Amino acid sequence: MGKDQRKEKMKVLMARFSLDGHDRGLLSIMNSFKDAGIEVVYIYFSDAKELAKVAEEEDADVIGITSSMGQHFYIASTLLKALNERKINAPVIMGGVIPTRDVPQLIEMGIKKVFGPGSAPRDAVDFVSGLSS
Amino acid sequence: MFSRKTLDRVNEMMKDWEKEVEEVYVKKLKFGSPQYTSESGIPINYVYSPEDAKDSEPEMPGAFPYTRGNRALGYQYMPWMIQLLHGYGTGEETRERTKYLIREGMKGYGETPAVLFAVDTPTHCGFDPDSPKARGMVGLGGVNISTLDDIHTLLKDYDLPNTRVADNIRFTCLPFLAMYVVYAEGRGHKPEELNGQSQNGLGNRCLTTNLPAPTPDAQYRLEIELIKYSCQNIKRWNHTNLCGYVFGEMNITPTQELGIVLSKAVDLVEGGIKAGLKPDEFVPRFSSQVHLGMDFFEEIAKLRAWRRMWAKIMKEKFGCNDPRSLQYRIHVHTAGSSLTSQQPLNNIARATLQVLACVLGGVQSMHTNSYDEAIGLPSEEAVRTAIRINQIVLHETGIPHVTDPMGGSYYLESLTNKVEEEAEKVRAEIESKGGYFECIKNGWLRQLLEKQSIKWRQEVDSGERIVVGLNKFKIEEKEEVPAFTIYQPEIEAEITDRLKRWRANRNNTEVKDSLERVKEAMSNYDNVEKAGILMPALIDAARAKCTLGEMMEAIVEVSGGRIYST
């Protein structure tokens, strides 16, 4: 997809990273993205390097990852490192079961936005839509 | 249930009632007459009368079809088991939590200690802690188990024949059972002395988590293998936990849950018969994990309908005669999906209502969620409170003094019949599509689950469904209940280090040879009729100190799968 078209339609790479079996939140959010005209690519059981490779191939505008078992710091650090290695600047957003007190540290690490328990899919849609304008 | 004369009188009274509603409420007070439906979509009336319950056959607890309970006496004779699924980090940490829970009141029947432990995802899937696939996940959401030493750490303080050992494991139930049998053997116990259960639910876990699993065909064969082995060797072992819980967590409705689980049971009983077993030999050892959500009366009706439908299917379809085959024993896990991380203390009220529904529905056993489980692993205070809910209902309210106290309620009897009807439709639909395992393969079940969870979210977002604290009655959350956390990197390093020592301290030729024999057995096991050939090879592998991951790898190398997506 060309750069000009990308402004028209955002593309989000959604990923369930590592062995996390929780995907109910992801399903709802992907559905809301699609309804809002945002293109979604979904991969799972990927490791950080595979994910970064797909992000590059797909030329994703945003990368969305989930963590529901307390592995958010591990995910953030390995993924951001792999993205840096490929010089990918697409913002990374994160959702799932993430304690509020851990959010500042995730943001400091380079996660663009965290959608913890209680966030509505709409919040993520608004955030991604906001990036295109 | 009622004489014609009674029903005629009732219908007269009903007409008066309808007239009053129409004239006073609708006309004068402009009452909008909303049509309520149950969670499963069953239309609910404003009031019920004998007319609605007239089709219910009179029944007593302890007699076919067991709608009112499996035994003549219920909680008066035996209170429900208070079992809490728990586990995290290393075996030592989980063992300490088990001790704490037992001290506070977790127990099986009588005074039998119950160890109902959760494992982490690498253990579920069969990746040893040193596998790259396990990185970042070791010890999260459950204890890590890869060696006999890990089992010892967890269970060394217990007298195995008098302990209910129940592992909540997804795909690696067979290797784990082989390891447990070998571990018990090392402590001088024969398999037939053991007591506990396997999950043996590869199929539903694959459906609801989409985690790396063997192919559906292989899952079916592995489940039948476990049934055959335990039925012939560990008589007291509950071989298969018919788990509807995981479907409920994907927002499936109560009637869908019941229909799906029964369709699975039918597939498994047919498989067991093909494997050469008689239904009465293995049907009594099915156990359960039922989801219990917030629709109070429909959930009670579901528990009653569940027993009735089970009894009818096992008697009429499979010709079971042993009463134990016809008595469905129910373990409930209160709905994690009903919890909110907002205003978490509200979850104690939710759990209390769910425990009450369970007791009115006559369950045998319960896991009650802790109020902080939407935030993370439960704290000690939160699990203790969950146990206390059970103890309060048991000792302070008098509720358990009467068996099936809802029996004869016009509403509940009618609703039980309706739930049965709706669940039967779901079961019949799955059957018409080739059965449960076929519906995993063709993607039908996964699509249903995805549709249901998206629907739930849309209802919450639109406000059509009210979840207190989440989309209504919200407050500015000042301070969240502190999340109970563990320092995972340290645990992962410790566990990986232990595994390294384990690998260094065994005969690797024996390991290799025994794994070859597992692969050979799995290759030969191409049909459920040959069930019984894989488990002996796994037991030999466990004796040769193979790890859980190595055994699973050997199975999957032959079966294919792992990343199977519908």
Side-chain angles (χ1 to χ4, degrees):
Chain A
M1 193 183 278
K3 292 280 165 192
D4 294 334
Q5 273 172 297
R6 202 174 64 186
K7 297 269 184 225
E8 301 281 313
K9 192 168 184 178
M10 296 289 280
K11 189 193 241 185
V12 183
L13 172 64
M14 294 290 278
R16 189 145 55 98
F17 183 97
S18 76
L19 294 177
D20 187 337
H22 299 78
D23 60 0
R24 219 182 86 185
L26 266 184
L27 292 172
S28 288
I29 288 164
M30 290 194 289
N31 191 61
S32 297
F33 280 153
K34 283 182 200 158
D35 285 350
I38 296 165
E39 193 182 343
V40 177
V41 179
Y42 175 41
I43 57 168
Y44 52 95
F45 310 140
S46 45
D47 62 29
K49 286 188 175 152
E50 288 161 353
L51 213 155
K53 187 165 166 276
V54 176
E56 190 175 87
E57 285 165 3
E58 293 284 342
D59 195 15
D61 298 303
V62 181
I63 299 164
I65 50 174
T66 187
S67 165
S68 291
M69 298 185 72
Q71 75 278 34
H72 41 277
F73 289 129
Y74 171 77
I75 286 180
S77 62
T78 50
L79 177 62
L80 292 167
K81 185 164 168 264
L83 291 174
N84 280 339
E85 279 167 10
R86 286 185 180 263
K87 310 228 177 316
I88 296 170
N89 296 319
V92 179
I93 59 175
M94 197 178 218
V97 181
I98 298 160
T100 312
R101 67 169 174 199
D102 291 347
V103 173
Q105 196 182 330
L106 288 168
I107 301 291
E108 196 173 308
M109 287 167 83
I111 299 293
K112 197 79 185 168
K113 179 96 182 156
V114 177
F115 300 94
S119 309
R122 189 74 242 165
D123 304 336
V125 171
D126 289 347
F127 182 80
V128 170
S129 305
L131 292 173
S132 68
S133 53
Chain B
M1 226 172 175
F2 304 95
S3 70
R4 193 60 255 169
K5 204 175 144 198
T6 307
L7 289 175
D8 287 344
R9 256 181 63 215
V10 164
N11 289 335
E12 282 306 310
M13 289 189 264
M14 197 69 186
K15 274 181 200 151
D16 292 343
W17 179 86
E18 278 166 3
K19 200 172 149 198
E20 181 172 350
V21 169
E22 184 59 28
E23 287 178 1
V24 179
Y25 290 84
V26 176
K27 285 190 182 150
K28 271 196 201 153
L29 301 170
K30 310 290 174 211
F31 176 61
S33 309
Q35 172 63 63
Y36 298 118
T37 55
S38 73
E39 190 66 46
S40 303
I42 295 169
I44 302 295
N45 304 337
Y46 297 149
V47 74
Y48 285 77
S49 80
E51 181 67 32
D52 300 292
K54 67 175 189 228
D55 297 332
S56 288
E57 293 293 326
E59 212 188 295
M60 285 301 280
F64 184 85
Y66 306 102
T67 314
R68 306 195 64 192
N70 289 338
R71 301 291 168 88
L73 286 182
Y75 303 132
Q76 307 91 339
Y77 176 70
M78 187 74 82
W80 61 92
M81 291 192 262
I82 301 172
Q83 301 196 84
L84 275 83
L85 180 64
H86 62 281
Y88 59 91
T90 61
E92 285 88 346
E93 284 157 305
T94 298
R95 192 177 67 213
E96 286 311 306
R97 178 53 72 90
T98 308
K99 272 188 204 160
Y100 175 80
L101 290 168
I102 289 176
R103 196 165 65 234
E104 295 301 337
M106 178 171 80
K107 58 183 175 184
Y109 276 148
E111 292 304 314
T112 311
V115 185
L116 176 63
F117 63 96
V119 298
D120 62 6
T121 338
T123 310
H124 277 305
C125 298
F127 295 112
D128 282 330
D130 56 356
S131 155
K133 286 279 179 199
R135 285 289 66 74
M137 298 300 287
V138 176
L140 290 182
V143 61
N144 183 274
I145 291 175
S146 64
T147 69
L148 296 174
D149 268 1
D150 296 332
I151 298 180
H152 182 64
T153 307
L154 199 62
L155 298 174
K156 70 187 174 77
D157 297 334
Y158 298 95
D159 175 32
L160 300 181
N162 292 309
T163 305
R164 219 185 103 72
V165 176
D167 59 274
N168 192 327
I169 289 181
R170 286 176 197 153
F171 310 129
T172 49
C173 306
L174 271 179
F176 177 80
L177 183 59
M179 286 167 69
Y180 183 57
V181 164
V182 170
Y183 168 66
E185 184 181 82
R187 285 182 54 183
H189 301 296
K190 295 197 174 83
E192 65 256 33
E193 293 173 58
L194 303 176
N195 170 18
Q197 74 165 34
S198 294
Q199 275 288 315
N200 206 22
L202 291 83
N204 40 0
R205 295 310 175 116
C206 169
L207 264 176
T208 53
T209 61
N210 243 340
L211 279 169
T215 59
D217 283 335
Q219 290 168 22
Y220 184 54
R221 292 201 302 278
L222 294 171
E223 291 193 30
I224 299 297
E225 175 74 14
L226 199 152
I227 291 174
K228 181 147 188 186
Y229 172 81
S230 68
C231 174
Q232 294 185 330
N233 298 278
I234 327 179
K235 295 272 182 241
R236 290 195 294 163
W237 199 258
N238 292 330
H239 49 70
T240 307
N241 185 312
L242 291 169
C243 182
Y245 180 75
V246 289
F247 301 123
E249 289 297 280
M250 295 282 283
N251 307 106
I252 218 78
T253 70
T255 54
Q256 286 171 331
E257 180 196 4
L258 176 48
I260 293 171
V261 173
L262 290 175
S263 74
K264 175 176 181 174
V266 167
D267 272 14
L268 288 177
V269 176
E270 284 172 349
I273 294 168
K274 280 189 200 143
L277 299 169
K278 292 190 184 73
D280 275 336
E281 286 179 305
F282 67 102
V283 172
R285 284 293 169 192
F286 277 105
S287 62
S288 64
Q289 188 183 346
V290 170
H291 188 261
L292 201 121
M294 291 305 291
D295 190 335
F296 188 76
F297 288 116
E298 183 170 58
E299 293 291 5
I300 299 171
K302 179 182 80 182
L303 299 171
R304 301 176 88 242
W306 204 307
R307 280 191 295 268
R308 185 195 291 170
M309 292 177 80
W310 178 269
K312 285 186 188 168
I313 290 174
M314 293 310 150
K315 188 178 178 140
E316 289 156 17
K317 193 174 173 73
F318 295 112
C320 291
N321 290 314
D322 186 338
R324 296 178 312 139
S325 299
L326 310 178
Q327 296 163 342
Y328 192 66
R329 298 168 300 159
I330 299 177
H331 167 78
V332 161
H333 193 116
T334 61
S337 55
S338 68
L339 307 178
T340 60
S341 64
Q342 298 77 15
Q343 305 171 46
L345 293 177
N346 295 348
N347 295 326
I348 300 175
R350 294 190 176 98
T352 304
L353 286 166
Q354 290 161 339
V355 168
L356 180 58
C358 289
V359 173
L360 297 177
V363 306
Q364 274 65 42
S365 166
M366 234 188 284
H367 162 100
T368 309
N369 278 327
S370 302
Y371 65 82
D372 58 357
E373 283 192 63
I375 299 159
L377 289 169
S379 67
E380 285 196 349
E381 187 209 31
V383 288
R384 187 184 64 225
T385 307
I387 291 175
R388 294 290 179 268
I389 294 173
N390 286 263
Q391 292 159 334
I392 289 167
V393 174
L394 183 60
H395 299 294
E396 295 185 9
T397 65
I399 295 166
H401 296 170
V402 174
T403 301
D404 188 33
M406 303 305 295
S409 149
Y410 312 135
Y411 174 31
L412 245 293
E413 293 296 352
S414 159
L415 194 56
T416 304
N417 296 344
K418 289 270 168 36
V419 165
E420 178 180 5
E421 221 172 88
E422 290 303 312
E424 176 53 28
K425 280 185 203 159
V426 177
R427 196 200 65 76
E429 186 176 7
I430 295 171
E431 190 178 71
S432 76
K433 292 180 193 310
Y436 173 81
F437 283 90
E438 190 55 39
C439 284
I440 296 181
K441 269 202 283 187
N442 64 27
W444 186 83
L445 274 168
R446 176 71 195 175
Q447 278 165 22
L448 178 71
L449 295 170
E450 291 187 358
K451 201 181 87 194
Q452 285 297 120
S453 29
I454 289 169
K455 183 168 166 263
W456 180 90
R457 186 72 235 184
Q458 287 168 339
E459 288 167 1
V460 168
D461 289 343
S462 71
E464 186 188 333
R465 176 189 292 274
I466 293 170
V467 181
V468 173
L470 178 64
N471 64 355
K472 206 162 183 180
F473 313 110
K474 293 198 271 190
I475 56 166
E476 195 64 42
E477 303 277 339
K478 276 185 227 133
E479 202 180 331
E480 65 179 21
V481 169
F484 176 84
T485 46
I486 55 174
Y487 187 59
Q488 194 272 342
E490 203 169 82
I491 286 170
E492 188 164 294
E494 164 68 24
I495 289 174
T496 308
D497 201 44
R498 285 181 193 180
L499 178 60
K500 204 172 156 190
R501 290 198 297 273
W502 175 267
R503 288 198 206 279
N505 188 22
R506 60 182 188 174
N507 180 332
N508 283 313
T509 314
E510 271 179 34
V511 167
K512 211 169 147 262
D513 290 350
S514 65
L515 290 174
E516 282 308 315
R517 286 196 296 274
V518 170
K519 287 181 209 168
E520 199 186 312
M522 189 63 199
S523 304
N524 292 334
Y525 182 33
D526 54 1
N527 189 305
V528 291
E529 283 161 22
K530 297 183 193 163
I533 61 177
L534 178 60
M535 195 59 181
L538 288 169
I539 289 176
D540 283 346
R543 285 197 187 110
K545 298 187 171 182
C546 292
T547 63
L548 189 81
E550 288 163 345
M551 287 191 258
M552 197 60 191
E553 193 58 51
I555 290 172
V556 179
E557 199 184 303
V558 177
S559 76
R562 275 284 201 221
I563 297 187
Y564 176 85
S565 176
T566 46

